[in-house]
Amino acid sequence: MRKIGLIGTSALFLLAGMAAPAGARQEKQQEKTKPAQQQQAKPEKQQQAQAPKQQQQRQQQQAQAPKQQQQQQQAQAPKQQQQRQQQQAQAPKQQQQQQQRQQQNNSARQQQQQQAKGQQDQQRQQRQQQDNRSARQRSPEQVRVQQVAWQGDRAHSWQSEHRTWQQRGGYDGYRVPDDRFRGYYGQNHGFRIDILPVMYVGGQRRFQYGGYWFGLIDPWPEYWSDDWYDSDDLYVDYYGDGYYLYNRSHPGDRIAISFYVN
């Protein structure tokens, strides 16, 4: 009986010894798994703990965004204002430069016009000189006819015999272009008839000057000198209602004349 008791007791101790290491191993394994579980749980808790902070940061960023934008606008405002001021300051300069360019262009055009006008005047003077040279080559017969003709057209009482273009109903002859008229006629362009070609058409005395023929409609005053066409300085001008021949020796008189192209 004691042997059986001893065996039973030994078996119990053996079972207890085997159970103890097994329990110890199980506890060790549980202890090993706890840190892993704790480590896994920590990030989740950290994420949960950090989530409100992140949301708060986003809200702060969203709240700060308008302020930052406003600050940027406020920081840029002086620069924009400075740029506008610079543009406003440059505007008069640009306008002045544009005016200067316009003045330069106008001056260049005026110079070109003056040069063209000078060339035209020179050409007109050359043509006039040619006409004068041609006139000096008149034959003695032409000179004699001219003298007789001029003496025959002398008025007996010019004040009663002559008439203005207005009294004649107005001038209806050829009109000289303004630019050509200014180049040859007027008070600044004097001449003498004795060196000019003279002819008669239908009993009317005509002389050529400046490329045109002039027909004298009035007789010349009786108190003018006998050789006025040879000695007096004359010019052609337009007065009020038509063309007239003027004598500088008798500035108050004007003889009605008409232009003819041929």
Side-chain angles (χ1 to χ4, degrees):
M1 291 297 289
R2 287 180 181 176
K3 293 180 180 179
I4 296 168
L6 291 171
I7 295 169
T9 303
S10 299
L12 288 173
F13 281 112
L14 178 61
L15 291 172
M18 293 174 61
R25 287 195 298 270
Q26 186 176 0
E27 289 178 358
K28 290 181 180 180
Q29 290 178 355
Q30 289 178 355
E31 289 177 358
K32 290 180 180 180
T33 55
K34 282 182 181 180
Q37 290 176 356
Q38 290 177 357
Q39 289 178 357
Q40 291 178 355
K42 284 182 179 179
E44 292 179 356
K45 291 180 180 180
Q46 289 176 356
Q47 290 177 358
Q48 292 176 357
Q50 291 176 356
K53 294 182 179 179
Q54 293 176 352
Q55 185 176 3
Q56 185 178 3
Q57 289 177 355
R58 286 195 296 270
Q59 291 176 352
Q60 290 178 355
Q61 291 176 355
Q62 291 176 356
Q64 290 177 356
K67 293 182 180 179
Q68 292 176 352
Q69 186 177 2
Q70 185 177 3
Q71 290 175 356
Q72 290 177 355
Q73 291 178 354
Q74 290 177 354
Q76 292 177 355
K79 294 181 180 179
Q80 294 176 352
Q81 186 176 1
Q82 186 177 3
Q83 290 176 354
R84 286 194 296 270
Q85 290 176 353
Q86 289 177 353
Q87 291 176 354
Q88 291 175 357
Q90 291 177 356
K93 294 181 180 179
Q94 293 176 352
Q95 185 176 4
Q96 185 177 3
Q97 291 175 355
Q98 186 176 2
Q99 290 177 354
Q100 290 177 353
R101 287 194 296 269
Q102 290 178 353
Q103 290 177 356
Q104 291 176 355
N105 293 334
N106 292 334
S107 299
R109 283 196 296 270
Q110 289 177 357
Q111 289 179 357
Q112 291 177 354
Q113 291 175 356
Q114 290 177 356
Q115 290 177 356
K117 185 177 180 181
Q119 292 177 355
Q120 292 176 356
D121 292 341
Q122 186 177 2
Q123 292 175 357
R124 290 169 184 168
Q125 290 176 0
Q126 291 175 354
R127 287 196 296 269
Q128 184 62 45
Q129 291 174 358
Q130 291 176 357
D131 294 340
N132 293 341
R133 285 194 296 269
S134 299
R136 292 190 185 96
Q137 297 174 359
R138 295 192 307 270
S139 64
E141 180 63 19
Q142 290 175 336
V143 174
R144 187 185 65 80
V145 170
Q146 181 177 351
Q147 290 175 349
V148 173
W150 284 115
Q151 292 299 326
D153 294 330
R154 189 172 191 170
H156 298 285
S157 177
W158 189 75
Q159 293 296 332
S160 61
E161 293 179 16
H162 90 94
R163 290 185 297 167
T164 64
W165 277 113
Q166 185 176 6
Q167 292 172 336
R168 296 175 184 275
Y171 180 79
D172 58 356
Y174 177 79
R175 294 185 180 274
V176 181
D178 292 340
D179 58 342
R180 187 173 181 84
F181 186 89
R182 290 192 297 267
Y184 282 97
Y185 311 110
Q187 296 183 13
N188 296 328
H189 300 277
F191 60 89
R192 294 182 180 178
I193 293 180
D194 72 305
I195 62 172
L196 301 178
V198 177
M199 68 176 183
Y200 287 83
V201 178
Q204 185 188 68
R205 55 212 174 279
R206 296 184 184 182
F207 66 92
Q208 188 182 39
Y209 172 69
Y212 293 96
W213 285 93
F214 297 85
L216 273 69
I217 309 302
D218 279 336
W220 53 277
E222 70 280 4
Y223 48 84
W224 286 10
S225 63
D226 293 341
D227 59 348
W228 65 270
Y229 53 87
D230 187 22
S231 58
D232 293 350
D233 188 20
L234 312 172
Y235 66 92
V236 172
D237 206 351
Y238 189 93
Y239 179 82
D241 51 4
Y243 296 104
Y244 294 93
L245 177 68
Y246 290 83
N247 189 334
R248 296 188 193 277
S249 299
H250 303 275
D253 300 335
R254 56 177 182 268
I255 299 175
I257 60 175
S258 183
F259 275 74
Y260 299 93
V261 179
N262 296 321

